[in-house]
């Protein structure tokens, strides 16, 4: 009998190249692994044989109780600023990097288990995860991906057969997460805080090999590594804000070098437009409010810059500060121009006019004043482009207040000189009908806690093509009924 080829073609560069940056570790034993979700589309992108993984053996692998051939499971060490305060040692307290594989596009991907049991970095936590937060990360991550936003993704979710106590007994679960890497701003902070410059250089060179290979061997590569992170994160913040996403815990340990969205905890999408929107139960001061995300990201990037100073200009600290500051100072303009071009697309505009910023700000302040649903506004605006403004006007308690703006926008559209039907189609291709609305996510998670997954599957199916109206699913496009009340999310650790 010929040996079966391994399920994963692991090539574990982190384990191999960065000894001292992790602890080799294994998942905890659990009684009854059961696969509840498996992402066949993603498995195909990863060149994985879904038929081998959608099996009891796959469930054991995704629960962390069976090591697939070639894996080198490990818990990564990192530090991080949490709500502004520095923790010198965090690390994977409930996650294991199984290893890395090369996807069908030739890109290296981490395969990580989250919730697979305690590690030396658990700091008193149980190292576990429960089904609600695991599925929230699955649903929100896949939704963000379908919206064209860089993100880690979910390959699988299993329940473990354990009962885990949070705010009551909950079914234990493990998420399998796929990421361009798990390098965080906090990974750099860990070694910088310890003054381990050699390790920092090793880490930076590893990050360059993975995320900016063009820079390998260049003398100014560390500065340019930083430049790349600034650019990716400015683009990411614009995308979050344009779609109405609130991450909720933008600590530096939850900020990637790759520019992917990571660590979906108490995150949510806004319904009514409100820059002050906060959903997380632990964000008392509104530090990570919807509208503050770009400013916070720049703060996080300043923390990254600090760690890189000794690499950027080892013999001239002042020069290093100057160089890094110049890169960091580009962030607001990079963000602003990415946001402006995204908002132009959302409102059917291609040309650039000086006045656009004011056009958009006027629009947003009216949305805010009247608590208008942010997502529906743009879908209905596309209808208004072809002469049907009624649905849009119906979103406003006082529609007269938007009429003046609508007239100004129509005049601006005329300057585009394109057919309105074409403009509507363009707008509909960038403005989602469906986002993971809080009441729908909540309803799906509650039924999953009771062992029923059909609502989760329905929601995932709809969110996969968010720009396409699906008949029979009109309710999925609507904001929460008033009875749902104000929404709060919990970290779910
Ligand atoms: P997070 O808020 O999910 O980004 O996690 C922050 C830190 O807490 C990370 O170091 C996690 O590994 C750790 N952590 C979160 N939940 C748990 C848990 N249940 N057990 C152990 N460590 C945890
Ligand atoms: Mg985290």
């Amino acid at each position: 009998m010929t040996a079966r080829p391994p399920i994963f073609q692991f090539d574990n560069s982190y384990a191999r190249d960065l000894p001292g940056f992790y602890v080799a570790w294994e998942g905890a034993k659990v009684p009854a692994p059961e696969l509840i979700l498996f992402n066949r589309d993603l498995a195909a992108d990863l060149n994985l044989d879904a038929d081998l993984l959608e099996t009891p053996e796959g469930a054991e692998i995704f629960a962390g109780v069976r090591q697939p051939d070639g894996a080198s499971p490990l818990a990564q060490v990192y530090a991080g600023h949490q709500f502004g305060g520095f923790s010198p040692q965090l690390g994977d307290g409930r996650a294991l990097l199984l290893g890395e594989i090369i996807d069908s596009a030739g890109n290296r991907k981490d395969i990580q288990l989250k919730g697979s049991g305690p590690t030396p970095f658990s700091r008193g936590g149980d190292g576990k995860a429960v089904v609600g937060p695991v599925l929230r990360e699955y649903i929100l991550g896949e939704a963000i991906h379908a919206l064209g936003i860089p993100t880690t993704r979910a390959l699988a979710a299993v329940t473990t057969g354990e009962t885990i106590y949070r705010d009551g007994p909950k079914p234990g679960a493990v998420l399998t997460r796929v990421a361009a890497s798990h390098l965080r701003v906090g990974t750099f902070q860990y070694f910088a805080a310890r003054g381990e410059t050699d390790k920092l250089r090793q880490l930076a060179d590893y990050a360059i090999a993975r995320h900016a290979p063009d820079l390998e061997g260049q003398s100014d590569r560390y500065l340019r590594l930083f430049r790349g992170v600034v650019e990716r994160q400015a683009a990411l913040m614009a995308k979050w804000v344009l779609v109405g996403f609130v991450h909720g815990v933008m600590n530096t340990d939850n900020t990637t070098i790759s520019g992917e969205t990571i660590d979906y905890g108490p995150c949510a999408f806004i319904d009514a437009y409100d820059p002050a929107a906060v959903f997380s139960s632990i964000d008392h001061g509104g530090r990570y409010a919807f509208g503050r995300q770009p400013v916070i990201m720049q703060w996080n990037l300043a923390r990254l810059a600090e760690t890189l100073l000794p690499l950027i200009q080892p013999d001239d600290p002042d020069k290093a500060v100057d160089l890094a500051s110049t890169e960091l100072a580009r962030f607001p303009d990079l963000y602003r121009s990415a946001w402006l071009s995204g908002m132009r697309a959302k409102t059917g505009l291609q040309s650039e006019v000086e006045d656009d910023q004011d056009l958009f700000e006027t629009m947003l302040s009216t949305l805010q004043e009247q608590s208008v649903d942010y997502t529906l506004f743009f879908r209905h605006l596309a209808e208004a482009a072809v002469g049907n403004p009624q649905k849009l006007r119906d979103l406003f308690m006082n529609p007269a207040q938007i009429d003046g703006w609508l007239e100004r926008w129509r005049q601006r559209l005329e300057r585009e000189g394109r057919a309105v039907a074409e403009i509507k189609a363009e707008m509909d291709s960038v403005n989602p009908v469906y986002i993971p609305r809080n009441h729908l996510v909540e309803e799906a998670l509650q039924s999953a806690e009771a062992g029923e997954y059909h609502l989760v599957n329905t929601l995932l199916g709809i969110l996969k093509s968010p720009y396409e109206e699906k008949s029979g699913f009109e309710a999925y496009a609507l904001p929460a009924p008033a009875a749902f009340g104000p929404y709060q999310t919990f970290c779910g650790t």
Side-chain angles (χ1 to χ4, degrees), residues 188 197-209 212 214-230 232 257 301 304-315 320 323-325 327-328:
F188 285 80
T197 307
D198 288 345
K199 283 206 161 140
L200 204 59
R201 188 175 299 107
Q202 218 184 325
L203 179 65
D205 283 329
Y206 180 85
I208 286 167
D214 294 354
L215 303 183
E216 275 183 293
Q218 308 279 326
S219 59
D220 59 352
R221 63 187 178 278
Y222 303 117
L223 184 66
R224 289 167 65 191
L225 169 67
F226 179 59
R227 182 181 304 163
V229 183
V230 169
R232 290 191 286 273
I257 301 303
L301 292 168
L304 176 62
E306 285 163 2
T307 71
L308 293 173
L309 293 177
L311 306 183
I312 287 173
Q313 199 72 248
D315 41 12
L323 289 169
S325 303
E327 296 301 333
L328 186 63

Side-chain angles (χ1 to χ4, degrees), residues 362-363 365-367 369-370 372 377 389-408 410:
T362 307
M363 168 190 83
S365 62
T366 311
L367 295 189
E369 246 168 75
Q370 297 207 38
V372 170
F377 175 82
Q390 200 47 47
K391 280 202 255 175
L392 182 86
R393 297 184 82 248
D394 287 347
L395 293 174
F396 292 80
M397 284 173 290
N398 171 13
Q401 217 189 324
I402 197 68
D403 286 341
W405 182 87
L406 268 180
E407 190 43 40
R408 182 179 165 194
R410 262 192 222 103

Side-chain angles (χ1 to χ4, degrees), residues 78 82 90-92 94 114 177 184 247 249 251-255 262-264:
Y78 50 85
Q82 301 182 303
L90 294 167
D92 291 330
R94 54 165 172 169
K114 186 167 173 182
R177 173 158 90 174
R184 304 151 189 269
H247 182 281
V249 219
N251 295 333
T252 57
D253 51 302
N254 294 338
T255 302
I262 199 170
D263 277 356
Y264 293 83

Side-chain angles (χ1 to χ4, degrees), residues 288-306:
Y288 299 139
F290 174 58
R292 279 179 50 81
Q293 296 181 115
V295 167
I296 286 291
M297 182 51 72
Q298 193 178 0
W299 190 90
N300 290 351
L301 292 168
R303 306 290 77 75
L304 176 62
E306 285 163 2

Side-chain angles (χ1 to χ4, degrees), residues 19-36:
F21 291 66
Y22 61 85
V23 175
W25 205 253
E26 283 177 22
K29 297 287 170 236
V30 295
E34 192 187 325
L35 193 58
I36 56 171

